[in-house]
Amino acid sequence: MKKGIPILIILGMLGWAIFEFVGSKQDEVNEESTLSDNRITAIPTDDAEESDETGLERGQFAPDFEVMTLEGEQRKLSDYRGKRVMLNFWATWCPPCRAEMPDMQKLHENEEITVLALNMTATEQNEEVVADFVEEYGLTFPILMDEESDVMNAYRIQAYPTSYMIDSNGRIQFIALGAMNYDQMLQHFNRME
């Protein structure tokens, strides 16, 4: 009888683990079905239609926002209308964000594109960590500070980094969830007007 107790405990734990696993998969399926209308894709299609609406889909106008830069200046996304923009959501603690920063700097230096790196400041220890990061990586493009996560929430950021390629008219042309390298950035940049 005493030998059977450990076996029963192990079987009980295994059963519970299976129950939890199946339940979590069902929750994911339910979440995907409710979010399917808002899903952001990283696969560009040439058949995206331009829209006069503001939104987060390809062809729509990117939502405007106003934040402070690391240097304390106010900036709006609409200030850059007429220029092609790479809007990148990032944090210093994010390894993929760190990996793509040198390529973003290279894009900024070599192409006629405005790189706006919007730091998710509410997730950082403090602003000094961001300033040290910028100095360490030699970043010369604008660092925007999302201190209250307002922009992050408006853009429904769920993956780090997330980048929006916005054309000179202010429309979203490409959305990348995750890090890109220089060649990928350049490829999407060249598709914009």
Side-chain angles (χ1 to χ4, degrees), residues 59-74:
Q60 293 181 326
F61 287 105
D64 199 12
F65 57 83
E66 184 172 355
V67 294
M68 299 295 280
T69 66
L70 185 59
E71 292 80 26
E73 301 169 357
Q74 282 196 305

Side-chain angles (χ1 to χ4, degrees), residues 9-143:
I9 291 173
I10 291 172
L11 288 175
M13 291 170 57
L14 181 63
W16 183 257
I18 292 171
F19 173 78
E20 285 293 316
F21 178 76
V22 170
S24 69
K25 287 295 182 189
Q26 185 60 43
D27 290 345
E28 288 176 19
V29 169
N30 291 341
E31 185 177 323
E32 284 180 14
S33 65
T34 59
L35 293 176
S36 63
D37 292 338
N38 298 322
R39 186 149 311 252
I40 296 173
T41 181
I43 302 171
T45 56
D46 293 332
D47 60 350
E49 293 186 28
E50 288 187 356
S51 169
D52 289 334
E53 295 180 27
T54 298
L56 299 175
E57 300 293 326
R58 282 196 69 239
Q60 293 181 326
F61 287 105
D64 199 12
F65 57 83
E66 184 172 355
V67 294
M68 299 295 280
T69 66
L70 185 59
E71 292 80 26
E73 301 169 357
Q74 282 196 305
R75 297 281 172 91
K76 294 184 201 177
L77 179 60
S78 57
D79 292 342
Y80 299 95
R81 189 66 55 93
K83 299 177 181 180
R84 294 180 280 185
V85 172
M86 177 181 178
L87 175 62
N88 177 266
F89 291 82
W90 69 285
T92 61
W93 48 262
C94 163
C97 301
R98 297 174 80 88
E100 78 175 350
M101 282 295 170
D103 287 333
M104 288 172 51
Q105 180 64 33
K106 183 177 175 181
L107 185 72
H108 169 72
E109 291 171 357
N110 296 336
E111 305 299 330
E112 289 185 30
I113 188 168
T114 300
V115 174
L116 299 177
L118 198 135
N119 178 262
M120 297 177 286
T121 314
T123 69
E124 301 284 1
Q125 289 178 348
N126 54 46
E127 285 189 25
E128 187 176 310
V129 172
V130 180
D132 291 345
F133 181 92
V134 169
E135 184 177 335
E136 176 186 345
Y137 281 79
L139 305 178
T140 59
F141 45 80
I143 305 297

